[in-house]
């Protein structure tokens, strides 16, 4: 992979961007003084990126992860024995709508070409109510990072105790490596729904502002800082905006997105635009790779790790 990406440097258009991104990312990871922030949008876990991310965390290449409740939900499902499946692309004589209506009747949820039986959400709810929420209830109101840490602990312990075939996953790796996970829009997920439901009959609650101080402190204390932004949305902005209240800014930045910048939306905004806000240093090394993160993330990670290891 490293040789392929190196040869991309002799090509143009998107290939040249991939080469530059791998070069910047490798320099970021090789900088012992660099605090690395990673944002992970959407539902990258059920689409197969789970072990790519957990390995990065376990091997010391992530200092803080900002992600979605969806990723944490699907990560926990796999940790405790649930499974995602490849879905059929051939609907026979059915239209796509008719196919999805059939899936609804069969209690199977679809994420493009990834299928998840709804019974696994029942498994997830049971996991939260027996292994995660009770320990947090004793503390009353906790931060979202505390919830993520407790989820990681529970995922790790149940995965080991039950001898689950799949890896314990992202949250477990973060718990074991003492890497904080921030999930600023946790309400927008099944994890958030379950947390809200549990809070209705207990003293458990989440403080949405509690994570701001430790995340900002991490950025403030960084000698140099770098960010790998996988997709856009809330994780991307939450990662970048941290630098608005610190004296410095990111020294390295790599983002993978499929969104165009011409819409004016945050998800497609270039990192050069972020520089105008003071989120990146004027002399920061940065680039944007336009493409599907399920293709680009493993490529960049493998190439960068080959180079520095």
């Amino acid at each position: 992979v490293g040789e392929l990406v190196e040869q991309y440097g002799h090509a143009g258009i998107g290939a040249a961007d991939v080469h530059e991104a791998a070069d910047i990312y490798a320099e970021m990871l090789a900088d012992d003084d660099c605090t690395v922030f990673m944002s992970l949008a959407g539902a990258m876990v059920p689409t197969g990126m789970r072990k790519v991310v957990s390995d990065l965390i376990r091997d010391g290449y992530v200092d803080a992860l900002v992600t979605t409740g969806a990723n944490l939900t699907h990560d926990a499902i796999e940790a405790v024995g649930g499974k995602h499946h490849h879905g059929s692309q051939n609907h026979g004589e059915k239209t796509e709508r008719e196919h999805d209506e059939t899936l609804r009747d069969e209690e199977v949820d679809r994420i493009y070409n990834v299928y998840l039986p709804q019974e696994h959400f029942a498994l997830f709810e049971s996991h939260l109510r027996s292994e995660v929420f009770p320990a947090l209830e004793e503390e009353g109101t906790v931060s979202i990072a505390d919830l993520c840490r407790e989820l990681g602990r529970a995922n790790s312990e149940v995965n080991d105790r039950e001898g689950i075939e799949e890896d314990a996953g992202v949250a477990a790796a973060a718990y074991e490596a003492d890497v904080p996970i921030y999930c600023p829009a946790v309400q927008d997920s099944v994890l958030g729904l379950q947390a809200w439901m549990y809070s209705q009959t207990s003293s458990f609650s989440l403080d949405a502002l509690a994570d701001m101080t430790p995340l900002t402190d991490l950025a403030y204390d960084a000698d140099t800082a770098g960010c790998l932004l996988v997709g856009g949305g809330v994780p991307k902005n939450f990662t970048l905006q941290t630098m608005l209240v610190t004296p410095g800014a990111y020294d390295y930045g790599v983002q993978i997105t499929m969104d165009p910048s011409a819409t004016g939306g945050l998800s497609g905004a270039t990192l050069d635009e972020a520089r105008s806000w003071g989120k990146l240093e004027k002399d920061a090394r940065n680039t944007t790779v336009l493409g599907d993160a399920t293709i680009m993330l493993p490529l960049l990670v493998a190439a960068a790790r080959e180079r520095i290891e």
Side-chain angles (χ1 to χ4, degrees), residues 50 149 190 197 215 242:
R50 184 170 182 260
R149 187 179 304 111
V190 174
M197 290 171 64
L215 179 61
T242 302

Side-chain angles (χ1 to χ4, degrees), residues 62-82:
V62 179
D63 294 300
L65 175 67
V66 182
T67 191
T68 59
N71 280 320
L72 295 174
T73 296
H74 292 277
D75 177 56
I77 286 173
E78 295 237 339
V80 300

Side-chain angles (χ1 to χ4, degrees), residues 38-42 65-69 71-72 170 181-186 235:
M38 181 176 184
S39 76
L40 191 69
L65 175 67
V66 182
T67 191
T68 59
N71 280 320
L72 295 174
V170 175
I181 295 179
Y182 300 104
C183 185
V186 69

Side-chain angles (χ1 to χ4, degrees), residues 78-100:
E78 295 237 339
V80 300
K83 280 284 191 179
H84 296 86
H85 304 273
H86 281 119
S88 172
Q89 292 295 96
N90 182 9
H91 308 322
E93 296 179 357
K94 292 181 179 179
T95 65
E96 186 170 34
R97 174 171 176 163
E98 289 170 337
H99 179 67
D100 283 319

